[in-house]
Amino acid sequence: MLPETDPLLSYYYKHEQQSIGGIEVPSITEDWVENHPSVVDRFFTRYYYIKEGNDPAPYQILFHSNRICLICLASEHPAIKMGIKSLTFDIGNTDRSKNTVKGKGKKGGMVLQHDSTLAILTTEQGKTYRIPSCVQSKLIEVNALWVDEPKRLESVAEGEGYIAIVLLKPDDCEAIKRSLLTQEQYNEKWSELKNAEAKSVEKQEIDTKSGYNVEDGDKVDIAVNKL
């Protein structure tokens, strides 16, 4: 019985030594780098904005040198862990998906303040998050893909999960960068917020066990309430 052979063997790449101008051309297979920098690493700078409150939510702003910014959910956003049920660009008074721009100057785009709502996200538990634009800018386009496939936002690669693309004014760039958090600042700030949250939860649990009503601040006589 003849040994099995690969019918495509003759099509496989085989490196042949070549030189151009006396310099040897390297092999495209042997010089392959497994941990090649991602598109985000090569072309964008990471910044962050945290919408603080009882339930802080972090957002990532990928800043390109041409003043274009991608507005994304940070990987620590609570909605990713909860599960994303839906996302809409219809924010009530306007529909961001109807935004249109024309020409190289991107004329006609909706003007955004840093706290303007881009979209409304709803989790599997029914909790809603109003996704902010994070920076003062002009809306170029929204990623309508998430309206039909919101679950993909939970696992999409960094940069691919952008909610919207916005354009900054040249004179505003440096001030806006200073108003945002760098990667290092974000890591520190988010850690502080989560530690404070953990301490708050721990305190509530202790108060509950001791019979203390956190809402009205009165001691509760558990024995009397049981009668």
Side-chain angles (χ1 to χ4, degrees):
M1 187 175 190
L2 294 176
E4 293 183 5
T5 58
D6 188 340
L8 301 178
L9 186 62
S10 61
Y11 295 95
Y12 290 163
Y13 173 79
K14 294 180 181 179
H15 178 67
E16 297 180 0
Q17 283 193 340
Q18 300 180 47
S19 61
I20 299 176
I23 300 175
E24 184 177 340
V25 178
S27 168
I28 62 173
T29 55
E30 293 178 3
D31 291 352
W32 180 71
V33 179
E34 183 176 2
N35 297 318
H36 190 72
S38 67
V39 172
V40 173
D41 289 329
R42 284 180 287 164
F43 301 113
F44 294 88
T45 303
R46 297 175 178 87
Y47 287 95
Y48 295 86
Y49 172 80
I50 299 176
K51 190 173 183 179
E52 297 191 40
N54 295 330
D55 185 20
Y59 299 89
Q60 184 185 61
I61 299 92
L62 298 178
F63 205 114
H64 194 279
S65 58
N66 64 4
R67 299 183 286 116
I68 284 288
C69 290
L70 307 185
I71 309 301
C72 317
L73 301 181
S75 58
E76 295 80 9
H77 196 289
I80 295 176
K81 187 175 182 179
M82 293 180 190
I84 299 172
K85 182 179 181 180
S86 66
L87 184 143
T88 178
F89 291 102
D90 186 345
I91 60 174
N93 59 336
T94 189
D95 188 340
R96 299 296 189 194
S97 65
K98 304 300 183 183
N99 180 78
T100 56
V101 294
K102 298 179 180 179
K104 293 182 179 180
K106 305 301 181 184
K107 296 180 180 179
M110 296 178 184
V111 176
L112 304 168
Q113 302 303 316
H114 80 280
D115 56 353
S116 298
T117 299
L118 285 174
I120 298 175
L121 181 154
T122 304
T123 69
E124 297 288 359
Q125 290 78 19
K127 184 174 180 59
T128 60
Y129 289 91
R130 299 183 74 87
I131 301 174
S133 62
C134 304
V135 294
Q136 185 176 342
S137 55
K138 179 189 294 185
L139 182 62
I140 303 303
E141 67 176 64
V142 299
N143 195 341
L145 173 64
W146 311 130
V147 175
D148 297 324
E149 302 181 61
K151 294 293 291 182
R152 284 187 57 191
L153 275 170
E154 298 171 18
S155 58
V156 73
E158 184 182 30
E160 293 180 18
Y162 71 90
I163 304 298
I165 300 176
V166 301
L167 178 66
L168 278 57
K169 290 182 179 180
D171 296 340
D172 294 341
C173 289
E174 294 307 314
I176 287 175
K177 287 180 182 179
R178 290 192 295 269
S179 72
L180 300 172
L181 299 171
T182 63
Q183 183 71 62
E184 184 178 354
Q185 292 170 334
Y186 167 69
N187 291 342
E188 182 178 351
K189 179 69 174 178
W190 187 247
S191 179
E192 290 176 357
L193 288 172
K194 299 311 290 181
N195 287 338
E197 180 183 341
K199 289 180 180 179
S200 177
V201 171
E202 183 180 3
K203 183 178 183 302
Q204 289 179 18
E205 291 177 350
I206 293 173
D207 290 340
T208 300
K209 289 179 181 179
S210 64
Y212 185 78
N213 190 313
V214 178
E215 292 184 357
D216 59 21
D218 296 329
K219 281 288 185 176
V220 178
D221 190 335
I222 298 177
V224 173
N225 288 341
K226 287 183 178 180
L227 296 177

